[in-house]
Amino acid sequence: MKKVKFATSNPHKVREGNLVGKKFGIDFVQIKQSYPEIRDEDVSKVAEEGGRFVFDKIKEPIIVEDTGLFIEALNGFPGSFSAFVFRKIGNDGILKLLGSEKDRNAEFISAIGYCDENGVKIFKGIVKGSIADEKKGMEGFGYDPIFIPTGYGKTFAEDPDLKSRISHRRKAFQKFCEWLTKEG
Ligand code: ITT
């Protein structure tokens, strides 16, 4: 097993990453080194700066991952500020903001920033869906109880197996693992 350090405070992310990693013989190991999340609307930029920061600190190859939930009717809010917004108003706050809005389209975007002595590389994954009318499901974390992926009738929190097959994170980790296997 090839080990890759993953700087994150969120163990769910590590578990989801490892569902992909194990198919490639890659084991993501959580380290709790924090990094400043820059104020940029693009999750790729946040992951890029975060990866660089942690690499400069520990001088070992590292990944960080930044995720945003982008809601169309709210002009992409909360986007790269999703962690802050989740802490402040949570899923109930998002449902209240949307009210009876008909356009409930949304997407999750995940950006992995891998940094080593050659610099940073970004790997992105997107899943499109919509915001549910109410919270449903007990699995997963964060915005999972209110996110229904397009083409399915359940939230990610109701169907974690579905999440592991089609999520933003699954796609980003798939790209990263393929790249690392070939070039890393
Ligand atoms: P880091 O230490 O890795 O930054 P975090 O949980 O703060 O962990 P993010 O900043 O990437 O991670 O997350 C932004 C917010 O979006 C945060 O509130 C998460 O709970 C939520 N989130 C991230 N990934 C998610 C997913 O797959 N499903 C639902 N919510 C998610």
Side-chain angles (χ1 to χ4, degrees):
M1 275 297 220
K2 183 177 173 62
K3 290 196 186 300
V4 177
K5 291 195 168 141
F6 184 179
T8 177
S9 62
N10 187 334
H12 298 283
K13 287 186 174 182
V14 185
R15 201 185 53 77
E16 291 183 6
N18 274 325
L19 291 177
V20 184
K22 71 173 185 223
K23 294 185 292 159
F24 292 84
I26 298 168
D27 182 26
F28 295 101
V29 180
Q30 180 175 18
I31 64 159
K32 290 190 178 157
Q33 173 64 54
S34 62
Y35 55 91
E37 286 196 7
I38 60 160
R39 288 199 185 177
D40 194 293
E41 290 194 31
D42 184 349
V43 288
S44 298
K45 295 265 165 51
V46 179
E48 184 176 336
E49 290 309 312
R52 227 189 289 279
F53 180 93
V54 179
F55 178 75
D56 283 348
K57 252 215 137 101
I58 70 167
K59 309 280 186 224
E60 283 181 72
I62 185 75
I63 62 165
V64 304
E65 192 248 39
D66 195 55
T67 288
L69 174 65
F70 295 76
I71 301 175
E72 215 168 87
L74 303 177
N75 296 323
F77 179 88
S80 64
F81 301 97
S82 291
F84 174 75
V85 171
F86 191 79
R87 279 198 304 276
K88 293 291 179 192
I89 65 171
N91 287 324
D92 292 329
I94 294 289
L95 292 175
K96 217 187 263 178
L97 273 177
L98 270 180
S100 56
E101 171 67 51
K102 289 270 175 315
D103 172 10
R104 306 187 78 85
N105 292 333
E107 61 188 21
F108 271 122
I109 305 181
S110 158
I112 294 173
Y114 171 76
C115 191
D116 63 15
E117 57 286 348
N118 300 314
V120 190
K121 282 189 85 67
I122 299 294
F123 303 86
K124 263 173 103 166
I126 300 181
V127 63
K128 290 187 183 297
S130 62
I131 301 299
D133 293 326
E134 56 183 5
K135 289 184 286 186
K136 276 197 185 143
M138 304 297 285
E139 307 290 329
F141 65 99
Y143 298 102
D144 283 342
I146 61 166
F147 186 84
I148 302 174
T150 302
Y152 300 90
K154 286 182 177 171
T155 66
F156 272 165
E158 290 180 290
D159 196 342
D161 287 341
L162 175 66
K163 185 181 185 192
S164 72
R165 291 200 305 275
I166 66 164
S167 80
H168 49 305
R169 182 161 300 108
R170 155 76 203 247
K171 291 171 186 161
F173 272 90
Q174 180 82 23
K175 282 186 193 164
F176 172 65
C177 290
E178 281 170 6
W179 175 81
L180 193 71
T181 304
K182 262 199 226 129
E183 330 248 337

